[in-house]
Amino acid sequence: MDTPRRKLRNLHLENVQNNSTPIQIPPSPMLKTLGHGTGVSVYRLDRSPKQGQIRSPWAVKRITQRTRATKDTLLNERIIREADILRKLNHPNIVGFRGVVKSPDGVETLALEMCNTSLGSILEERHDEDLGPLPAKNTFKMIMDIAHALDFLHTEARLLHGDLKSFNVLVKGEFEICKLCDFGVSLPLDEHGEINFQKNPGLQYVGTNLWSAPEIIDEVEIIDTKADIFSFGLIIYETLALVPPHTLELDAAFNSSNDVDLESRKQLNYSNCAGSNKSDLDDSLGVHVDERDFAVKSEAEDVVEDEEDEDDTKENDISDFSLTNLEQAYGTRPPLPVAFQLSDDYNCIVELFYLCTNALSEDRPAARTIWQCFENNAANVTASSDAAGE
């Protein structure tokens, strides 16, 4: 009897995940830049045809030359950890693992599935072009796909993502499928779906303050999967407001000021609103971006590593604006913008935003509840449409 196709596919995935085939990664200057941040760069690797067949490109992630020069191993360790996690994650809504290569100097390069762009890049462009909220059908698709990814992550993989934001949501095509990426700071969940920091002092939540849940900001001893759900709610907020959470007033200040040049305004854009979970305000709103992994730039742009390192060291210079209230807003539900008139198509999206950003974790829905409710809602809408057409 012939080997079933499913078994063949599983054997292929197993070979890929075990990295049985050597991967050749050329020097960074020979690759097209997809994104870069503090000590990390992501490139497009166009693979040569094999046996006359065109092969899909990959995204490769590695630490920069300047970071290697500092001998700081933290970021390289995160890449190794991310590779170990991704090897075990096989889900259509999680970015695919392709392999990992160690160079002679011990630096790891992570090869990943290539996606068109990130949700953050799409929202940033809409903001710059004054296009209004992301179309409801696209937000609906994103919610369904990422909720499926989180359900798998929380219940089967037993992991907390730990850094959900729009730039860690990848988009293929015209929202044909959305995928979750960047697992370098993910944390293991115990048998109760929790993380007890007191019992596990070696664990630390390293997310981004702007997207963090109140229990993270308050540094409680025990957190659960609902910390991810709060951050997910803020991604939904981004699709409506087109700015990072808690920055509406700052964005308005930049846009209304005649004294702020374009480069300064860009510091408030999506791609620059990242940083680790520190009290330092500049890190949380600065240009130093670790997780902008797949925010695709111009295809013509081919920046060498030294230039990227120079960008990494830019300092945030928005001290002319009052940021006093920003830190106080961390871990709270940001107000929706009043400028946009939302149609009835957005009702369930806005409702989910409010549910996910409830202050108490027990009041937030689980990822499975989210996709099941949205699936049922879609089925009801379809049924109503069919009945109306009869």
Side-chain angles (χ1 to χ4, degrees), residues 4 46-48 51 67 74 98 105 116 120 129 134 140 142 151 184-185 187 238 256 262 276 294-295 312 331 339:
D46 289 308
R47 298 185 296 156
S48 57
Q51 296 179 345
T67 303
L74 176 62
R98 297 295 181 259
D105 60 1
N116 297 57
E129 297 174 15
L134 190 70
F140 191 97
M142 183 278 294
D151 182 23
V185 295
L187 296 172
E238 291 181 82
S256 63
L262 180 61
S276 56
F294 305 95
D312 288 342

Side-chain angles (χ1 to χ4, degrees), residues 185-206:
V185 295
S186 296
L187 296 172
L189 297 164
D190 64 20
E191 65 274 16
H192 305 295
E194 298 176 338
I195 300 169
N196 190 319
F197 292 108
Q198 187 176 35
K199 291 183 179 179
N200 300 276
L203 298 180
Q204 181 183 10
Y205 187 96
V206 185

Side-chain angles (χ1 to χ4, degrees), residues 340-376:
F340 299 143
Q341 296 296 321
L342 299 176
S343 66
D344 292 344
D345 294 341
Y346 289 91
N347 287 346
C348 62
I349 294 171
V350 172
E351 183 178 357
L352 182 60
F353 157 66
Y354 278 102
L355 287 172
C356 290
T357 54
N358 277 320
L360 297 178
S361 62
E362 57 264 32
D363 292 338
R364 302 171 206 151
R368 180 165 298 178
T369 302
I370 293 172
W371 70 255
Q372 286 179 341
C373 287
F374 267 60
E375 198 171 72
N376 292 336

Side-chain angles (χ1 to χ4, degrees), residues 11 20 30 63 79-80 86 124 228 231 252 312 337 350 355 358:
L11 286 172
S20 59
M30 298 175 63
I63 63 175
I79 288 179
I80 296 172
L86 284 172
E124 187 178 51
D228 270 352
S231 302
D312 288 342
V350 172
L355 287 172
N358 277 320

Side-chain angles (χ1 to χ4, degrees), residues 91 93 136-152 177-179 232 236 349 352 367-379:
H91 190 276
N93 299 117
K137 64 178 182 178
N138 293 342
T139 301
F140 191 97
K141 175 62 174 172
M142 183 278 294
I143 289 171
M144 285 287 290
D145 286 355
I146 301 306
H148 273 105
L150 289 175
D151 182 23
F152 170 80
I177 189 168
C178 298
K179 295 173 180 271
F232 185 40
I236 297 171
I349 294 171
L352 182 60
R368 180 165 298 178
T369 302
I370 293 172
W371 70 255
Q372 286 179 341
C373 287
F374 267 60
E375 198 171 72
N376 292 336
N377 182 66

Side-chain angles (χ1 to χ4, degrees), residues 27 58 67 221 260:
W58 286 349
T67 303
E221 291 181 356
V260 182

Side-chain angles (χ1 to χ4, degrees), residues 1-234:
M1 191 170 87
D2 292 338
T3 304
R5 288 181 179 272
R6 183 180 295 273
K7 185 175 289 186
L8 282 173
R9 180 177 179 274
N10 290 339
L11 286 172
H12 170 68
L13 284 172
E14 192 173 286
N15 285 337
V16 170
Q17 291 175 344
N18 289 333
N19 194 27
S20 59
T21 303
I23 301 173
Q24 300 296 324
I25 307 293
S28 300
M30 298 175 63
L31 301 171
K32 293 185 185 298
T33 304
L34 297 182
H36 59 88
T38 305
V40 177
S41 296
V42 181
Y43 307 94
R44 176 188 173 110
L45 173 63
D46 289 308
R47 298 185 296 156
S48 57
K50 185 176 183 180
Q51 296 179 345
Q53 293 185 339
I54 297 176
R55 299 190 293 174
S56 61
W58 286 349
V60 294
K61 179 178 180 180
R62 60 168 53 145
I63 63 175
T64 62
Q65 184 175 354
R66 175 168 295 185
T67 303
R68 294 198 292 271
T70 66
K71 306 298 183 182
D72 187 350
T73 62
L74 176 62
L75 293 176
N76 197 53
E77 289 169 359
R78 284 186 184 174
I79 288 179
I80 296 172
R81 172 173 167 72
E82 184 172 8
D84 290 341
I85 291 173
L86 284 172
R87 277 192 184 97
K88 305 168 187 174
L89 301 182
N90 180 20
H91 190 276
N93 299 117
I94 291 178
V95 66
F97 172 78
R98 297 295 181 259
V100 64
V101 180
K102 178 179 286 188
S103 62
D105 60 1
V107 174
E108 307 285 344
T109 297
L110 177 61
L112 301 165
E113 172 187 11
M114 178 74 187
C115 292
N116 297 57
T117 186
S118 72
L119 177 64
S121 293
I122 293 171
L123 299 179
E124 187 178 51
E125 289 176 6
R126 295 189 68 85
H127 174 272
D128 291 346
E129 297 174 15
D130 293 325
L131 294 178
L134 190 70
K137 64 178 182 178
N138 293 342
T139 301
F140 191 97
K141 175 62 174 172
M142 183 278 294
I143 289 171
M144 285 287 290
D145 286 355
I146 301 306
H148 273 105
L150 289 175
D151 182 23
F152 170 80
L153 203 66
H154 294 164
T155 61
E156 295 190 43
R158 291 287 182 180
L159 284 173
L160 185 80
H161 183 277
D163 197 18
L164 287 176
K165 52 193 173 190
S166 59
F167 272 96
N168 287 340
V169 174
L170 306 182
V171 179
K172 275 196 168 184
E174 296 296 323
F175 282 86
E176 294 164 14
I177 189 168
C178 298
K179 295 173 180 271
L180 194 57
C181 75
D182 204 334
F183 296 85
V185 295
S186 296
L187 296 172
L189 297 164
D190 64 20
E191 65 274 16
H192 305 295
E194 298 176 338
I195 300 169
N196 190 319
F197 292 108
Q198 187 176 35
K199 291 183 179 179
N200 300 276
L203 298 180
Q204 181 183 10
Y205 187 96
V206 185
T208 309
N209 277 335
L210 289 175
W211 286 265
S212 292
E215 58 268 30
I216 299 301
I217 301 301
D218 294 340
E219 298 182 351
V220 301
E221 291 181 356
I222 300 175
I223 65 171
D224 58 18
T225 58
K226 300 300 181 66
D228 270 352
I229 298 300
F230 188 93
S231 302
F232 185 40
L234 295 184

